[in-house]
Amino acid sequence: MEKLIFEKSRKGRKGYSLPKLDVNKTELTNLLDAKFIRTEPAKLPEVSENELARHFVRLSHLNYNIEEGFYPLGSCTMKYNPKVNEKTASLDGFTNIHPLVNAKYAQGALQLMYELGNDLMKITDMKGVTLQPSAGAAGEFTGIMMIRAYHLDRKDFKRTKILIPDSAHGTNPASAAIAGFQIVNVKSDEQGRVDIEDLKAKANDEVAGMMVTNPNTLGIFETNIMTIQEILHDCGALLYMDGANLNALLGIVHPGKIGVDALHINLHKTFSTPHGGGGPGSGAVVVSERLLPYLPVPQISFKNNEYSLNYDLPKSIGKIHSFFGNFLIFVRAYTYIKMLGKEGLKETSQGAIINANYLKSLIKDYFEFPYPAQSMHEFVMSGDKQKKKGATTMDIAKRLLDYGFHAPTVYFPLIVHEALLIEPTETETKESIESFAQALIAINKEIDEDPANVKSAPHNTPIGRINDAYAARNLNLKWVD
Ligand SMILES: *Cc1c(COP(=O)(O)O)cnc(C)c1O
């Protein structure tokens, strides 16, 4: 009888000897269809450890990251992630815990989630919390589902619409549509804020709620937020706030005090955690009194000195993630919040606002700023003037790579021609902000003197300009030898 021996002996992490995995082919045949059982050894590449290490280190050098340089992606908050977060997130007690373990044996993890939830409620002055959503968009969906449950619970069945400003992040209309709502766009006024007259014209008893980003995606604070919430609440609708980027508000503005009913917070933006490239994320949602009964289950309770999971919420929208969410991101956010404390968090926001406005002041004479209002943690400018001279915003973004910077967010928000949305974050030094400004000024000069060089950029990167539209339409992820 043929034996398939996977490994002769293995040592566990702590030096315990694990039993030899000795599988009998006939036993395997009982489990698997014969056609799935290999008759020849798998053709795995045979390379030395040295070759393997070099391969991956070389690949890592091709990759740009926040530890290499400035990463000004607007609406993304690409801040430096303190290493202590990684240390706490890799503690044995957190990484080896099983999600099905009895709550009695997971008291530390439950305490961390309970305290993090409380901190988020304090930071926002809101009344309830769920940590389950696995990203900002999932948080939006959760919040909108709670707003839906609120109206249905009141037998208010007419409310089929969600209002969304035209400057909003694309996930807002997507989340509301997936929750079954019809999207109604609200215009921006010439200052880049919600057009109050347009909002008044559209607010009625068919509106379930409005999703407002504040500061909005132009980096401008919605100074009319009290009027906005009043208009909505007067017609029975609720206010959802997209707080993906809370980086300008910590310790300064409390959403609970400006009439917000639900708000998602991207833990992976404001509260550090490396992100980008699709994950992982965590989009905690905090709610006002009105929405407490509809929060997802389980909620974490603390009674008689013990943390437990509470599923007894009859009006809950249910579960929206397997188990509890992206737990290790909670650990990072918790570490970050506890380490900075109340004052530190406020300084974070002040620093983010100062850095954005300083950078804006350095380049204001070279680019167009269609919405000149005071910026918060990010600002938007237009490459329209440069486009008329022959180089588009995309060309500028590509040329920035040659100067050693990550490009900012481009062509978003959609209401700005040739948009560049720039967010330096509080973790950058004055010097790095100045060198980024110098690069933009130099590129602007090149557009006048040698536009071809900008249009054919990047020149110094491992690969040149790729046709991203072609790549997206002809996706081919298979390696062909
Ligand atoms: C990032 C972001 C989102 C979406 O968050 P994800 O975690 O990417 O799903 C939503 N709204 C705004 C304003 C954002 O910046």
Side-chain angles (χ1 to χ4, degrees):
M1 223 178 317
E2 199 180 339
K3 295 262 187 191
L4 303 175
I5 299 172
F6 291 109
E7 236 176 284
K8 286 214 169 68
S9 81
R10 295 198 294 151
K11 282 264 184 233
R13 308 180 49 175
K14 290 193 172 141
Y16 305 119
S17 272
L18 296 175
K20 195 166 71 171
L21 203 51
D22 187 353
V23 182
N24 181 306
K25 193 172 178 184
T26 349
E27 284 165 20
L28 205 59
T29 319
N30 292 336
L31 295 170
L32 287 174
D33 194 321
K35 70 175 183 244
F36 295 123
I37 298 174
R38 196 177 278 133
T39 50
E40 279 170 32
K43 289 197 182 94
L44 297 174
E46 293 276 340
V47 290
S48 68
E49 178 178 318
N50 185 14
E51 286 171 291
L52 193 68
R54 281 182 184 165
H55 172 71
F56 284 109
V57 170
R58 199 178 291 131
L59 281 181
S60 78
H61 288 175
L62 298 179
N63 206 1
Y64 191 86
N65 60 84
I66 193 74
E67 280 165 23
E68 190 174 335
F70 191 56
Y71 212 124
L73 267 186
S75 202
C76 250
T77 313
M78 301 295 280
K79 61 175 67 179
Y80 174 73
N81 296 283
K83 287 287 164 277
V84 64
N85 291 357
E86 299 311 312
K87 197 163 179 176
T88 53
S90 58
L91 289 173
D92 249 16
F94 291 140
T95 54
N96 287 333
I97 192 167
H98 194 281
L100 286 174
V101 73
N102 189 310
K104 223 178 353 184
Y105 305 113
Q107 288 292 300
L110 292 179
Q111 181 181 357
L112 184 137
M113 291 194 279
Y114 185 83
E115 288 186 14
L116 174 61
N118 273 350
D119 285 347
L120 295 175
M121 286 190 280
K122 267 190 228 153
I123 287 167
T124 54
D125 198 12
M126 300 290 280
K127 301 287 180 276
V129 64
T130 174
L131 301 177
Q132 277 182 44
S134 52
E140 292 167 26
F141 175 72
T142 307
I144 295 296
M145 287 301 281
M146 284 190 263
I147 290 177
R148 184 173 173 271
Y150 166 85
H151 292 303
L152 294 181
D153 195 22
R154 295 155 59 92
K155 313 263 181 286
D156 194 349
F157 301 123
K158 260 202 308 210
R159 298 186 186 266
T160 53
K161 293 175 182 165
I162 294 279
L163 304 181
I164 300 180
D166 56 8
S167 61
H169 196 270
T171 49
N172 290 189
S175 308
I178 291 174
F181 287 99
Q182 194 188 327
I183 314 302
V184 178
N185 255 306
V186 179
K187 280 194 285 216
S188 299
D189 64 16
E190 70 277 10
Q191 283 162 16
R193 299 192 171 97
V194 171
D195 186 322
I196 298 295
E197 291 313 309
D198 196 39
L199 169 61
K200 279 185 187 159
K202 288 167 181 168
N204 56 40
D205 62 1
E206 290 181 1
V207 173
M210 178 170 184
M211 299 178 87
V212 173
T213 309
N214 199 10
N216 65 28
T217 61
L218 299 164
I220 300 172
F221 191 75
E222 292 286 353
T223 42
N224 292 323
I225 192 71
M226 293 314 278
T227 314
I228 294 173
Q229 67 95 9
E230 209 176 297
I231 295 172
L232 293 168
H233 288 133
D234 279 354
C235 76
L238 301 190
L239 175 59
Y240 184 91
M241 181 170 138
D242 179 333
N245 307 282
L246 221 53
N247 220 31
L249 304 189
L250 303 175
I252 302 172
V253 175
H254 298 87
K257 291 203 169 73
I258 54 174
V260 172
D261 293 297
L263 161 89
H264 78 272
I265 306 162
N266 281 15
L267 299 186
H268 54 287
K269 288 178 180 170
T270 306
F271 299 106
S272 69
T273 282
H275 60 285
S282 183
V285 177
V286 286
V287 297
S288 68
E289 197 100 39
R290 285 187 183 95
L291 294 180
L292 286 177
Y294 315 103
L295 279 164
V297 284
Q299 287 282 304
I300 299 165
S301 316
F302 183 57
K303 269 185 224 134
N304 306 328
N305 238 4
E306 193 174 328
Y307 296 91
S308 58
L309 297 168
N310 177 16
Y311 285 86
D312 187 21
L313 226 68
K315 292 182 177 178
S316 164
I317 59 164
K319 264 178 98 30
I320 38 100
H321 193 287
S322 56
F323 303 109
F324 312 100
N326 278 333
F327 178 73
L328 294 177
I329 297 186
F330 308 160
V331 180
R332 291 183 177 90
Y334 179 88
T335 309
Y336 185 83
I337 290 171
K338 294 296 185 202
M339 202 175 61
L340 285 171
K342 200 172 160 193
E343 280 311 303
L345 288 175
K346 187 172 179 180
E347 279 174 33
T348 293
S349 284
Q350 290 169 333
I353 296 170
I354 290 169
N355 278 359
N357 283 282
Y358 180 53
L359 177 55
K360 187 178 168 188
S361 76
L362 295 175
I363 54 178
K364 71 172 187 316
D365 295 337
Y366 304 89
F367 293 85
E368 284 177 337
F369 290 82
Y371 297 102
Q374 162 81 48
S375 297
M376 296 293 281
H377 62 296
E378 60 187 347
F379 63 87
V380 67
M381 62 185 198
S382 165
D384 232 6
K385 197 166 79 179
Q386 285 71 17
K387 190 181 180 185
K388 287 187 190 112
K389 291 192 267 185
T392 63
T393 279
M394 187 55 83
D395 298 329
I396 297 170
K398 297 292 183 191
R399 186 67 179 138
L400 275 170
L401 309 182
D402 286 336
Y403 281 83
F405 297 104
H406 195 283
T409 296
V410 291
Y411 299 101
F412 175 78
L414 303 176
I415 55 172
V416 175
H417 290 160
E418 297 293 309
L420 292 113
L421 180 61
I422 302 179
E423 179 181 1
T425 83
E426 72 285 358
T427 59
E428 292 302 323
T429 60
K430 186 164 175 279
E431 289 72 23
S432 77
I433 289 175
E434 285 166 356
S435 58
F436 181 69
Q438 277 160 11
L440 278 170
I441 294 167
I443 293 169
N444 183 54
K445 193 156 173 242
E446 282 181 326
I447 294 171
D448 287 327
E449 293 170 358
D450 185 10
N453 199 39
V454 178
K455 291 194 71 60
S456 52
H459 306 288
N460 307 335
T461 50
I463 47 168
R465 196 176 297 207
I466 51 167
N467 184 340
D468 34 8
Y470 181 88
R473 287 189 192 130
N474 301 281
L475 193 63
N476 183 359
L477 299 173
K478 226 165 63 195
W479 175 256
V480 184
D481 216 353

